[in-house]
Structures are given as structure tokens and as C-alpha cells.
Amino acid sequence: MTEVNRSWRLAARPAGMIKDSDFTWHEEALPAELGPGQILVETLYLSVDPTQRIWIERDSYLPAVAIGEVVRAGGVARVLRSSLAGFSPGDLVYGMTGWQTHAVIEPSIRGPRKLPDGVAPTMAVSLLGLTGLTAYFGLLDVGQAKEGETVVVSGAAGATGNAAGQIAKVKGCRVVGIAGGAQKCAWIKDELGFDAAIDYKSEDVSKRLGELCPNGIDVYFDNVGGSILEAALSHLAMRGRVVLCGSIGDYNNAAGSAGPRNLMNLIMKRGRLEGFLVTDYAARFGEAIGDLARWAAEGRIKDRVDVVEGLENAPGALRRLFTGANTGKQLVKVAAG
């Protein structure tokens, strides 16, 4: 194995869209020894998530990545050395690897976890990773989606959105997805089985929601915030639920959030709006992974990944999330599995 770790470290807090100059490339020797309870891993695939943009800018539900630190990210990796009971060289694990070719991982709420037998490394950081888990708990626990209800999902061609829509279909809901571009809308309808799709780039979202959801929206799973959240609130059904998962439309907006302006509609409709973090459900991850894996094996949920090759391209891969270039779960392939 190589004795060099290559990594991207944070050089500057981003202002607006992230730039390559916000990061610096480092090379350093691998540690000669491990401390108690540690494992040394070689990164295979990195998860690329909108929340990473928050982590490198400011404190949030986690402390901000410090200037000079390796950029925080989850990934799938192969164990090279271990002083942690139950983990051996060759094991495939999920953990917080960061943007680097190798990492030393210690036990925490975010791993390491061994991959279930037969699970592809890519699926472990997509459908069975934090994005799939976010969709599962957000829709079923926070949104309490029930058979026969109308569910609307924004960012529906993204990693969490497409999973949320498919889980809603498994549960017998009628599902409308909001996505950017005819190709993405066709994918969520024709391949994933959404009942309808709205192209926010070419259609009036509020008007189309009124046409497609004549009895209102029972559950709105929000990934984008801003004007699309405002449109969904305008069409909320009586006692409708709004699940706040993300606000990708605001992350690079230096002026801050653009809305919504119609929160009063929650009062009129006796609605509920609730945000959540998937880590709130860490004790139940096994339950969700079991359901998601079974639905995938039965062909009831499809998993799609969008892979960028090479750690050197990690900054560009993160940028793709904010330009709408990705379809499905964005990953970076660091080494062969």
C-alpha cells in the first residue's frame, strides 16, 4: 500500500459558490502506529452532500471545519490496520473519512459501521447511507405519510428526494416530484414511478401544484426552500405536514433566505412544519437499512449514483450539487473497490 495520504484541506470560508481556491491539496505520511480503538482505512467512495457546504462555512449542528483541517465527509473505505475489536484488515466500512485517500477513524455516532454482506460500496453511501436514511425518517416519522395521501417532493431527482418519493410510493401514496429539466422529470416519472413531475425551470410551480394536487398536499418533503417552499405552502391540505430536510437554494445565497412569505397558511390549514436531523434517529438506523435493502432487493426502489472519478475532483463534485448537474446520489470515486 502507499505510505502517503493525499487530502483536501479547507483554505478559506466560501463566499457564494465554492471555488477551488477555498481548498488546498496536501500530502503527508501515514501514521506509523494506531491508538487504542482506531482503524486505518483506504477511502473507496466519498459521499458528496449539500450539508458539506454548511460545514465549511459556519458552525451548525456540528462545529465548522477549521481552516487547515481535512474537509469533513462520509465515505466507504477498506480497513488496512485495526486496533478496534471486531474490525479486521479487508473489512469494508462506512465512516467519516473526509476528503482524503486514507483516514484514521474512531468509534462515534457516524461510524465506523461494517457494510452488510452483499451491499455494493456505492449503495452504502447512497440508498443505505445518510441520504436514504434521511428520506426514510423524514417521510415516515416526521411527515407521517400514509397510504392514499398526496406527497410532494422538491429536489426530486437528487439523492434524498428520489429516495423519499420512492418510499412514498412503497407506502401507497400519490407522489408529485419537482425537479429541474425535462430529462430529470422524465426519469422520476418513467423509471422511478412518480405519478407526476413539475419542471421548475420551465413551469409555473404554484400553478402546476394546484392542477396536480386539487385536494391539497398532505406531505411536502422540502429539500430546496425559498420560492418552491412558498408555493407548496400555498397548496397545503388541511392538517398537512411540511418536512424541512434542506434548503439548497439558500446555501450559496449571500443575501440569505428568500422566504417563504406565507407561513400564515399553516394556521389556516392547521398545518405543521418541522425540521430534523437524521442523526436524531441513529438508534434506529438498523431498522431503516433493513427496510431499504429489502425494498431494493424486491425492485421496489431503485438506486442511482452519479460518480466523479478522482479525489482531485472533489471540489468540482460538490459544486455540481448547486448547479443541478447531478442526477441521483453524487459520489467521488477515490480508489477501486
Side-chain angles (χ1 to χ4, degrees):
M1 71 180 183
T2 179
E3 294 298 322
V4 175
N5 179 39
R6 298 173 176 85
S7 65
W8 282 108
R9 294 175 178 264
L10 187 63
R13 302 287 177 207
M17 184 64 74
I18 61 167
K19 306 178 292 297
D20 288 355
S21 59
D22 294 331
F23 312 96
T24 54
W25 182 261
H26 282 249
E27 296 187 3
E28 59 197 351
L30 296 181
E33 302 289 340
L34 293 178
Q38 295 182 330
I39 58 174
L40 174 67
V41 300
E42 179 186 23
T43 307
L44 304 180
Y45 288 93
L46 287 174
S47 176
V48 183
D49 304 291
T51 192
Q52 292 167 5
R53 172 64 176 73
I54 298 175
W55 293 344
I56 61 177
E57 180 186 355
R58 64 184 186 274
D59 292 338
S60 56
Y61 57 94
L62 291 175
V65 175
I67 300 298
E69 282 188 347
V70 174
V71 177
R72 182 186 297 132
V76 164
R78 180 188 296 108
V79 177
L80 299 179
R81 303 200 305 265
S82 174
S83 63
L84 178 61
F87 291 81
S88 302
D91 288 345
L92 296 182
V93 300
Y94 172 85
M96 295 302 285
T97 60
W99 282 9
Q100 53 189 342
T101 57
H102 299 78
V104 174
I105 301 177
E106 299 181 354
S108 74
I109 194 172
R110 291 173 288 278
R113 299 194 307 269
K114 286 187 180 180
L115 270 59
D117 292 341
V119 171
T122 53
M123 185 177 284
V125 278
S126 53
L127 182 63
L128 304 185
L130 292 182
T131 44
L133 296 171
T134 298
Y136 181 96
F137 290 112
L139 185 76
L140 301 182
D141 276 65
V142 182
Q144 299 178 1
K146 303 175 185 65
E147 183 176 359
E149 290 190 322
T150 294
V151 173
V152 174
V153 182
S154 61
T160 301
N162 89 75
Q166 291 185 85
I167 293 168
K169 290 299 298 180
V170 167
K171 293 298 183 178
C173 300
R174 180 173 176 272
V175 182
V176 177
I178 304 171
Q183 189 173 21
K184 290 183 178 182
C185 287
W187 175 59
I188 63 174
K189 280 185 60 181
D190 300 341
E191 294 191 39
L192 302 188
F194 283 47
D195 296 283
I198 300 171
D199 180 357
Y200 73 82
K201 291 186 176 181
S202 65
E203 297 183 275
D204 183 322
V205 173
S206 186
K207 178 181 178 182
R208 290 292 287 144
L209 284 173
E211 294 167 352
L212 292 170
C213 309
N215 297 317
I217 300 167
D218 297 298
V219 181
Y220 172 55
F221 194 103
D222 183 44
N223 287 299
V224 300
S227 62
I228 293 180
L229 172 56
E230 184 172 296
L233 286 171
S234 294
H235 296 281
L236 204 62
M238 188 65 68
R239 303 204 180 279
R241 287 85 72 198
V242 178
V243 181
L244 294 180
C245 176
S247 188
I248 196 169
D250 296 326
Y251 292 172
N252 290 302
N253 184 0
S257 175
R261 299 165 296 180
N262 58 343
L263 290 174
M264 180 67 74
N265 207 41
L266 289 166
I267 300 173
M268 301 299 109
K269 297 294 186 179
R270 289 72 148 182
R272 176 168 58 83
L273 182 150
E274 184 175 349
F276 75 106
L277 294 175
V278 70
T279 49
D280 298 342
Y281 296 91
R284 295 175 53 198
F285 281 179
E287 165 198 334
I289 289 170
D291 282 346
L292 292 166
R294 184 178 72 257
W295 294 334
E298 294 169 351
R300 303 175 74 188
I301 289 185
K302 296 180 180 179
D303 183 44
R304 176 167 173 172
V305 296
D306 191 329
V307 180
V308 168
E309 297 276 346
L311 179 65
E312 65 275 12
N313 294 313
L318 181 56
R319 218 165 19 242
R320 285 170 59 86
L321 300 181
F322 301 100
T323 62
N326 68 300
T327 300
K329 174 65 179 181
Q330 185 68 67
L331 302 177
V332 172
K333 183 176 181 180
V334 180

